Amino acid sequence: QLQLVESGGGLVQPGGSLRLSCSASREILDYYVITWFRQAPGKEREGISCISRSDDTRVIYAESVQGRFRASRDFVKKTVYLQMNNLKPEDTAIYYCAAERRGFGDWCTQEGYYGLWGQGTQVTVSS
């Protein structure tokens, strides 16, 4: 089953933390690059973190989230996580996970490469 399901969004105060989950099949975890995207109202969709497939540990982060967000994966739970710390109002967006069966590289932050997307989960950072 080639399907992605995001969860974990919600309302959080500035400076707070939130962890998003992306449930994926083992097939996806084994062979696909999995990336978190976000889209704020009126803005383009932004690739914020890419995690390499299978036993490759490489991760790419967008400058906007570098040092604050951390992506990880759990092959047993079949889940990719996005731990978001020190959240800012500008982090408010719908967050999506996406996957592509392609070798890891800088392409991964570009939405045009992805054909498999989750439904999105809303993150709102506000006091």
Side-chain angles (χ1 to χ4, degrees):
Q1 182 73 32
L2 298 180
Q3 184 178 19
L4 302 171
V5 180
E6 302 97 331
S7 62
L11 175 64
V12 63
Q13 293 183 333
S17 298
L18 206 61
R19 188 178 74 167
L20 306 183
S21 298
C22 175
S23 297
S25 69
R26 184 60 185 265
E27 172 80 9
I28 293 171
L29 290 171
D30 283 347
Y31 300 113
Y32 288 66
V33 173
I34 304 176
T35 297
W36 287 97
F37 287 84
R38 66 184 182 185
Q39 188 163 24
K43 301 184 67 176
E44 295 182 351
R45 191 166 296 183
E46 176 189 20
I48 58 174
S49 69
C50 313
I51 189 166
S52 57
R53 60 188 181 179
S54 191
D55 58 351
D56 195 338
T57 61
R58 291 177 292 175
V59 182
I60 293 175
Y61 296 100
E63 184 177 351
S64 59
V65 305
Q66 181 70 243
R68 299 188 298 120
F69 292 10
R70 184 170 62 189
S72 62
R73 59 187 166 189
D74 187 321
F75 289 97
V76 174
K77 296 185 180 296
K78 296 188 290 186
T79 301
V80 174
Y81 299 101
L82 183 67
Q83 178 66 46
M84 305 184 294
N85 299 319
N86 191 24
L87 284 161
K88 304 174 181 179
E90 53 262 44
D91 295 320
T92 296
I94 300 176
Y95 284 72
Y96 302 88
C97 58
E100 179 68 22
R101 187 166 180 156
R102 183 184 176 95
F104 190 76
D106 291 341
W107 62 268
C108 68
T109 61
Q110 303 174 33
E111 64 175 330
Y113 284 90
Y114 292 85
L116 183 60
W117 293 83
Q119 84 288 352
T121 185
Q122 176 71 47
V123 173
T124 302
V125 184
S126 176
S127 60

